[in-house]
Amino acid sequence: MKDVGDGSKTLLFFIYSVLVISLSFAARPSVINIGAALAFNSTIGRVAKTAIQAAVDDVNSDPAVLRGSKLVLNMQDNECNGFLGIVGALEFMENNIVAIVGPQCSFLAHLIAPISNELQVPLLSYGATDPTISSLQYPYFVRTTLSDSFQMQSIAEFIDYFQWRQVIAVFLDDEYGRNGVSALGDKLEERRCKITFKGALPLDPSRNDITDLLIKVGMQESRIIVLHANPTVGVNIFSVAKYLGMTRSGYVWIATDWLVALLDSKGPLDQQTMDTIQGVVSLRMHTRDSAKKAALASQWSRLVSKYSGENVHLHSYGFYAYDSVWILARALDEFLNDGGFISFSNDSKLLASEEGGQLNLQAISVFDGGKLLLDKIRRVRMEGVTGLVQFDEDGNLIHPAYDIVNVVGSGLKMIGYWSNYSGLSIVSPETLYSKPPNKSSENQKLYNVIWPGDTMVKPKGWVFAGNGKELRIGVPNRVTFREFISKNPKTGNVEGYSVDVFTAAVNLLPYPVPYKFIPFGDGVHPPNYQEIIDKVATDEIDGVVGDIAIITNRTTNVDFTQPYIESGLVIVAPLKKFSSDAWAFSRPFTVNLWCVTGVFFVLVGVVIWILERRVNESFNHGGNPRKQMVTMFWFSFSTLFFAHKEDIKSILGRAFLILWFFVVLIIQSSYTASLTSILTVHQLSSNIEGIDTLIRSGETIGVPSGSLAEKYMVEELNVPKSRLKSLASPDDYVRNLELGSDNGGVAALVDVYYD
């Protein structure tokens, strides 16, 4: 019975599944209307038109996708015009469109997205890259291409890779241009770079408009120019730049992906145009190499002949447009599988607004299943011609990546890749996805770039601007110790160690810093350093270069750099000098020490004579007193050099002699060391050991004229001003120090390393 029951359950489940599938197929509509909004006569539109139609045909010919339902495409040419775009969107809504592939332009996306939200019709845009179009504000807007936020991040990392810090942005003044450049500015700031000049152009600029703007660009310091435009305007900008000499060596032009899209769709342009873009760096949305991508590319010529007849080649926007249709088809299949029905109802808001009006708003309907279809679109995961297609939590495609290319000759040279996963690399992003992410600076690599001017030498990236504001740098024109800083009276140039340090630091900066030196002081009288510093605080000058001391009251008004010479108080005092002479050998010991040493020599001789005279013939000499006396003193003296010849036989004599030898060793070593020092080094000494002993001495103290030392001595150390004597030059220093305080000079000179 158990087996029979299980078999019955299995049979019932099979019958139920068949019924569900049958009802699902029965509920599927035979026709599903979708729309496509694009600009036929544009670089992106020419390719997208064929790609979308080809994708619709491929979906309809695949029975495993919609399983009985067919997509019916309603395609409109809105010319990226705001009015035509809005009218076209409303016409779509009148024809029971469930989703729109588009719009192509960011400008139109801002206009159509509110309509899409109201009528719950998803937009799958393959071309609107404006990063400010958010799924939070417009939930029915689905970006099936890469946001310019990632493109600008790749450009910012490229600029940082070459260690440039200032950038100029040239762009069209619309949502696409302004918001893209704003995103670039944010990404640059994250890397301590910045946009120093934003050059906005009208949507349809004349050659004069472009010329006027590029003249302003040429007057800027930076030579790193990011061009964010459309193909028509971008080509005209390069033409004018070539005419103005702005495509020569020293300039860096970075074009966003519009340039590669143009070159990919048309191939090499005419020779004159190609000459204007030599050395330009540009980007292309990266698409993974696959069999699907290769199959579409191989059929492209046939598809173009079938759908448009135009001579255009496939580019990355075409791949994303093709995948957009397949994303919609996969989502519709899941939508219908989950019991979704394609039905429309009137919008109560539109009906209320139409009362008394002439517009036929009743024909515009809300797609009842729009919310469910949108959810299915967000959840799509498939392998497309662009690679793995999947959306993250923010509604962006996962693994955004770009090819970085260089215009060389009549083609494009690949110099590397950028991905949000690992940054800049010469390895394809797909290879890196299998490894841990690594954005360290050591891992960032690119192939060599051929820059404008046909050079491989990295451009400096800046010049001194013709209209740049010079920094006003104050410098003290010192009268003494001019080696630090002073104005050369012959050349008029400011010279010295402080200037050398300043110019060396400026030369290390990756951007230009124009400046001019403003000397203070007449070259005869010492300049007042405090007055120079006060001019910085009052904005009369921008900074000071020189031997400036850092003290508390100055730090409250101005900022100081890290000091490159130690500062502090220094005292210069006269010293007593000792030199060697004929009696220098006697200086190691004092008179008392010489006398004590002599007494010990006599004492040693007497003690040894007493201990040895009875047992040692060397000290007895047969009782001859004279010889005994001579031997006694000779033995004592000879022990100083360890040259004695007499043998000591008594135990007490030997013990005493051991102690004496130790004393002799000490005396001899001390004498040798002291005498060597006296004969080789001039001995210097002074009664002044520091600032405290100088103040207590009560003697006259010298200070350099106009020096900070005088103020410091009076205000901080409470030295009476009457004790201070102002000295004007190094010669005055020497003369007064030699005279001394008692003879009208000074006991010491007090100064500071810095003033």
Side-chain angles (χ1 to χ4, degrees):
M1 293 297 293
K2 183 176 180 180
D3 294 340
V4 174
D6 290 343
S8 300
K9 291 179 180 179
T10 303
L11 179 61
L12 289 173
F13 178 76
F14 175 74
I15 295 172
Y16 174 76
S17 300
V18 171
L19 289 174
V20 169
I21 295 172
S22 299
L23 290 173
S24 175
F25 274 96
R28 286 175 178 265
S30 60
V31 172
I32 301 175
N33 295 313
I34 65 171
L38 60 157
F40 291 174
N41 191 27
S42 66
T43 299
I44 295 176
R46 293 186 187 95
V47 175
K49 178 182 177 182
T50 299
I52 292 171
Q53 290 176 322
V56 170
D57 286 349
D58 290 345
V59 169
N60 289 336
S61 63
D62 189 342
V65 183
L66 292 176
R67 289 173 283 188
S69 298
K70 298 292 184 182
L71 296 180
V72 175
L73 178 64
N74 186 342
M75 189 173 290
Q76 291 182 354
D77 181 12
N78 54 37
E79 301 178 6
C80 281
N81 179 279
F83 177 74
L84 294 179
I86 294 174
V87 172
L90 295 176
E91 289 179 355
F92 279 146
M93 307 311 175
E94 292 179 355
N95 297 322
N96 294 336
I97 298 294
V98 299
I100 299 174
V101 180
Q104 172 186 318
C105 305
S106 298
F107 168 65
L108 286 182
H110 283 279
L111 298 177
I112 298 176
I115 300 175
S116 174
N117 283 355
E118 180 65 27
L119 302 179
Q120 299 182 17
V121 176
L123 300 175
L124 288 81
S125 178
Y126 57 88
T129 57
D130 179 0
T132 65
I133 306 177
S134 167
S135 59
L136 293 176
Q137 182 180 8
Y138 304 119
Y140 283 85
F141 175 84
V142 181
R143 197 194 315 272
T144 56
T145 187
L146 301 184
S147 168
D148 273 342
S149 175
F150 300 114
Q151 180 171 207
M152 297 309 172
Q153 182 178 347
S154 67
I155 293 175
E157 291 189 19
F158 179 84
I159 291 170
D160 184 52
Y161 174 81
F162 287 101
Q163 299 181 340
W164 296 314
R165 290 293 174 264
Q166 295 185 355
V167 178
I168 294 173
V170 178
F171 59 96
L172 295 181
D173 195 13
D174 62 358
E175 286 79 358
Y176 163 75
R178 286 193 303 270
N179 296 332
V181 169
S182 178
L184 174 62
D186 294 339
K187 299 301 180 181
L188 287 171
E189 286 182 3
E190 293 175 4
R191 292 155 184 81
R192 296 186 178 182
C193 308
K194 64 179 180 179
I195 299 176
T196 56
F197 180 80
K198 294 182 178 181
L201 284 168
L203 298 184
D204 187 20
S206 66
R207 189 174 179 87
N208 288 336
D209 293 332
I210 297 173
T211 301
D212 292 342
L213 176 62
L214 291 186
I215 289 175
K216 294 178 182 178
V217 169
M219 297 175 66
Q220 306 303 312
E221 297 171 351
S222 176
R223 286 294 180 262
I224 314 299
I225 305 171
V226 177
L227 179 55
H228 190 46
N230 60 45
T232 303
V233 176
V235 169
N236 291 335
I237 290 174
F238 278 121
S239 175
V240 176
K242 177 75 171 180
Y243 173 75
L244 295 177
M246 297 177 64
T247 58
R248 63 178 184 270
S249 179
Y251 282 86
V252 174
W253 285 88
I254 304 173
T256 50
D257 59 1
W258 63 266
L259 179 59
V260 178
L262 175 64
L263 294 174
D264 284 346
S265 65
K266 290 190 174 183
L269 306 177
D270 61 271
Q271 188 60 48
Q272 184 177 1
T273 303
M274 292 302 297
D275 289 344
T276 65
I277 59 174
Q278 291 300 302
V280 175
V281 175
S282 188
L283 296 100
R284 174 198 292 127
M285 290 185 291
H286 178 75
T287 54
R288 187 180 67 185
D289 293 333
S290 64
K292 288 185 176 182
K293 178 181 176 181
L296 179 61
S298 65
Q299 299 175 21
W300 186 252
S301 297
R302 178 182 60 81
L303 295 173
V304 168
S305 300
K306 178 180 177 181
Y307 295 117
S308 67
E310 297 188 47
N311 183 23
V312 292
H313 304 290
L314 185 59
H315 55 52
S316 56
Y317 281 98
F319 289 122
Y320 281 100
Y322 182 89
D323 273 353
S324 298
V325 175
W326 275 94
I327 292 170
L328 178 57
R330 298 289 186 188
L332 282 169
D333 186 49
E334 291 296 321
F335 169 81
L336 296 173
N337 285 343
D338 280 3
F341 290 93
I342 297 178
S343 61
F344 297 84
S345 59
N346 292 328
D347 189 342
S348 58
K349 296 179 182 179
L350 292 177
L351 294 178
S353 64
E354 190 188 19
E355 294 181 2
Q358 300 298 319
L359 295 176
N360 184 24
L361 299 180
Q362 291 183 355
I364 300 176
S365 304
V366 176
F367 177 31
D368 298 326
K371 186 174 182 180
L372 178 60
L373 178 59
L374 176 65
D375 181 65
K376 297 302 180 183
I377 293 172
R378 297 286 188 192
R379 294 176 181 272
V380 164
R381 177 186 172 90
M382 70 176 199
E383 287 292 334
V385 295
T386 59
L388 177 63
V389 177
Q390 185 179 352
F391 298 98
D392 61 17
E393 295 178 353
D394 297 325
N396 294 311
L397 291 173
I398 64 170
H399 297 325
Y402 286 86
D403 301 336
I404 304 176
V405 298
N406 186 199
V407 180
V408 180
S410 59
L412 297 174
K413 171 192 173 185
M414 180 73 72
I415 60 173
Y417 304 90
W418 175 89
S419 70
N420 196 38
Y421 188 77
S422 294
L424 301 172
S425 174
I426 57 176
V427 181
S428 66
E430 290 77 25
T431 304
L432 298 175
Y433 293 151
S434 61
K435 302 177 182 178
N438 186 355
K439 283 194 172 185
S440 64
S441 58
E442 295 80 7
N443 198 51
Q444 306 300 295
K445 295 180 181 178
L446 291 173
Y447 290 117
N448 291 331
V449 181
I450 298 178
W451 305 103
D454 195 25
T455 176
M456 295 180 65
V457 179
K458 186 195 83 170
K460 185 168 59 174
W462 57 267
V463 294
F464 288 105
N467 63 343
K469 179 184 177 182
E470 290 183 322
L471 290 179
R472 300 160 298 175
I473 305 298
V475 293
N477 186 14
R478 287 190 64 99
V479 178
T480 59
F481 303 108
R482 301 174 64 87
E483 295 82 2
F484 273 106
I485 191 167
S486 64
K487 180 181 178 181
N488 190 316
K490 296 181 179 179
T491 64
N493 297 328
V494 178
E495 301 171 348
Y497 179 71
S498 297
V499 174
D500 294 341
V501 173
F502 174 76
T503 54
V506 168
N507 291 335
L508 290 176
L509 295 175
Y511 49 84
V513 179
Y515 59 87
K516 63 177 179 180
F517 289 126
I518 303 176
F520 288 88
D522 56 9
V524 177
H525 304 92
N528 189 314
Y529 281 68
Q530 189 59 47
E531 288 184 3
I532 303 175
I533 294 172
D534 291 340
K535 290 184 182 295
V536 177
T538 57
D539 202 31
E540 293 182 48
I541 57 177
D542 299 307
V544 180
V545 171
D547 50 332
I548 311 295
I550 304 175
I551 57 177
T552 303
N553 64 335
R554 289 177 177 176
T555 57
T556 59
N557 297 323
V558 296
D559 292 327
F560 288 85
T561 64
Q562 183 71 20
Y564 50 88
I565 293 181
E566 181 182 359
S567 61
L569 201 66
V570 62
I571 301 173
V572 180
L575 298 175
K576 185 178 180 182
K577 180 178 178 182
F578 296 93
S579 58
S580 60
D581 53 26
W583 290 95
F585 72 90
S586 64
R587 288 182 184 170
F589 293 161
T590 62
V591 175
N592 291 336
L593 185 56
W594 279 116
C595 293
V596 171
T597 302
V599 170
F600 269 100
F601 276 124
V602 175
L603 179 62
V604 169
V606 172
V607 171
I608 293 299
W609 176 74
I610 293 174
L611 295 175
E612 293 290 319
R613 68 185 179 85
R614 294 181 180 180
V615 296
N616 192 337
E617 182 64 26
S618 297
F619 288 89
N620 190 356
H621 294 289
N624 188 334
R626 180 174 176 276
K627 289 185 177 181
Q628 291 181 23
M629 186 68 65
V630 172
T631 300
M632 179 180 62
F633 285 108
W634 168 252
F635 175 82
S636 178
F637 182 78
S638 64
T639 57
L640 181 63
F641 306 101
F642 305 101
H644 57 284
K645 296 180 179 179
E646 293 78 9
D647 292 331
I648 306 300
K649 297 183 178 181
S650 66
I651 296 176
L652 289 177
R654 292 179 178 180
F656 180 80
L657 198 60
I658 289 173
L659 296 177
W660 172 243
F661 283 161
F662 182 71
V663 174
V664 168
L665 178 64
I666 296 174
I667 293 173
Q668 188 182 53
S669 300
S670 299
Y671 179 86
T672 303
S674 298
L675 183 61
T676 301
S677 176
I678 291 172
L679 295 177
T680 57
V681 180
H682 292 288
Q683 299 296 306
L684 304 176
S685 65
S686 174
N687 296 328
I688 300 172
E689 299 177 355
I691 190 67
D692 294 332
T693 59
L694 179 60
I695 294 174
R696 287 196 302 267
S697 69
E699 296 181 292
T700 303
I701 302 172
V703 292
S705 179
S707 170
L708 179 67
E710 180 178 357
K711 183 178 180 181
Y712 181 80
M713 296 285 288
V714 174
E715 297 182 0
E716 301 294 333
L717 301 180
N718 299 317
V719 177
K721 196 170 184 179
S722 59
R723 283 186 58 192
L724 303 179
K725 183 176 182 180
S726 181
L727 305 177
S729 67
D731 292 338
D732 285 346
Y733 304 165
V734 175
R735 184 168 53 254
N736 281 271
L737 288 171
E738 289 176 346
L739 288 174
S741 180
D742 296 335
N743 299 315
V746 296
L749 173 72
V750 177
D751 198 0
V752 290
Y753 293 126
Y754 274 8
D755 226 343

